[in-house]
Amino acid sequence: MRYLLSKICFATTAVFAAHAANASEELIKMSQNPKEWVMPTGNYANHRYSKLNQINAENVAKLQAAWTFSTGVLRGHEGGPLVIGDVMYIHGPFPNPVFALDLNNEGKILWKYEPKQDPDVIPIMCCDTVNRGLAYADGKIFLHQADTTIVALDAKTGSVLWSVKNGDPAKGETGTSAPMVIKDKVFVGISGGEFAVRGSMTAYDMKTGKRAWRAYSVGPDDEMLIDPQKTTELGKPVGKDSSLKTWQGDQWKLGGSTTWGWYSYDPELNLVYYGSANPGTWNPSQRPGDNKWSMTIFARDVDTGNARWVYQMTPHDEWDYDGVNEMILADQSIGGTPRKILVHFDRNGFAYTFDRTNGELLVAEKYDPAVNWASKVDMDKNSKTYGRPLVDPKYSTQKEDVNAKGICPAALGTKDQQPAAFSPDTGLFYVPTNHVCMDYEPFKVNYTAGQPYVGATLSMYPPSGETHMGNFIAWDARTGKIAWSNKEQFSVWSGVLATAGNVVFYGTLEGYLKAADAKTGKELFKFKTPSGIIGNVTTYEHNGKQHIAVLSGVGGWAGIGLAAGLTEPTAGLGAVGGYAALRNYTSLGGQLTVFALPSN
């Protein structure tokens, strides 16, 4: 088995290298060097895996904090550092400072960039003032600011080379996502689904900032860059006006479906993959129909933006099950047949395995047994409901001013944006999850530009009879089964790192960095950092020594009560009450902590 997985990993690397001339050759080559960490996702396939093995299952218990750095900012620290050569680049939440740190000189600050932004953007950032990271290419650092400005900085000096506005905060549009550089373009989404923002993906010229193309998530075919005959869902053409026909009147113009998650790229297919978020409003009775293409996976041509295939996970969303979570690309055999797969752990509690070449659905299973809003995804290709979740009417929120109770998962999903990792050594995916249910009461809401357009009141809590709110799991995407699962008191809101040392790392909301055996899940190490961890764990090698780095700084949706000083249980879209106990374990902070094995 290990030999086969090694062959698959080698073949994937060979494919990526063979097509380097048709992609960002610099980034592909750099991402194959485990000593660096050159993009937020680790590589274009979103593996968040490192070949470094100096730190391994036998010695990880000896890890020590090597050095720390304060960002000088409180609230939620999502994302993680980049390491390019001897320089580490880190970022913070609003006002989005960027630091270049000299690894040869105890983290000395080489330069700092701190944009001047209007603080009025803070109230329209739905779930904390987070930022998910920086991108690097062509000697530039790219930042997507809270006010939607995209900035290209000189990686050596921090000077601004160009900037462009991606949206309008006055309409509720904000920037929280990490950009991704593919070929000669910078790809950026948009946030603000709770303000009726119309989601889009935009590609900008890497050297000038000039817009190359923009594709909307909902609306007319030409604005979505959808071809009625060539764009398919489950192998069939989507047909003319595939989005417009699924909305009532002009409701699509307030359709949400934002794109603030993670992106991945297959150089061989020349496709970029990402997901769209919830439709606007959270009151489903105000928007009859399937509301396409909210809650959808898009596979788009990098050069033109044209959609190759789409798949809607949650038609007519009634629960805020955004589809923005990352798409992880791998080559594995499904039922004995080698496949180029795409694996997606959706907010709705189902883990999906697709053939990424054409969007064929191969596996769809619950990755938390508590999920109850739907019994299963219909996998019968002869069925009229093929590919759709079979919804349990008991957990529908369709009736206005009626409190639907006991819905699992809660709106923050079985997994939110906190990214999973894939290890080619074990063939498993390592997933940080939420084990949380909710009561959901929709109400009528009117639209005002720049004002919340939610229309629901929520409360959150663990599943009945249980007390823990998170699990850290290993998942087999070939069979749709959990390989092992570790309970956590709170949701696991950090990104995961898998390594060739047979270790997987993740952080907890209380502030622990933890390491587990990749094969068994046995906890091997934990260290309490100054604040809750919602950042993504990364690794690099410097001066012959492997390091583990993570940002701590509690916040995000789960930690919004602490981050924003909220106390009303239903505030923070229901998260404040659900995570009220978190304040007994951690406090606000903003720190990078770097770990290494002792020298002797």
Side-chain angles (χ1 to χ4, degrees), residues 370-452:
V371 173
N372 63 15
W373 70 277
S375 59
K376 65 178 183 178
V377 174
D378 189 348
M379 298 296 287
D380 182 357
K381 292 185 177 180
N382 297 315
S383 170
K384 291 182 179 179
T385 56
Y386 169 54
R388 295 176 70 97
L390 301 183
V391 177
D392 186 335
K394 177 181 178 181
Y395 302 110
S396 170
T397 68
Q398 192 64 35
K399 294 183 179 180
E400 218 168 72
D401 300 319
V402 172
N403 195 14
K405 297 187 176 183
I407 304 167
C408 307
L412 41 67
T414 299
K415 188 179 87 63
D416 203 326
Q417 61 76 38
Q418 64 270 39
F422 169 70
S423 170
D425 301 324
T426 63
L428 298 175
F429 295 76
Y430 300 94
V431 193
T433 74
N434 312 311
H435 190 59
V436 185
C437 303
M438 68 176 173
D439 299 341
Y440 189 113
E441 183 173 351
F443 57 85
K444 185 174 179 59
V445 61
N446 295 315
Y447 173 71
T448 302
Q451 297 299 312

Side-chain angles (χ1 to χ4, degrees), residues 144-165:
H144 190 194
Q145 298 176 181
D147 64 3
T148 79
T149 301
I150 303 157
V151 181
L153 306 173
D154 186 299
K156 292 183 178 179
T157 67
S159 61
V160 176
L161 301 176
W162 57 258
S163 66
V164 63
K165 253 321 186 43

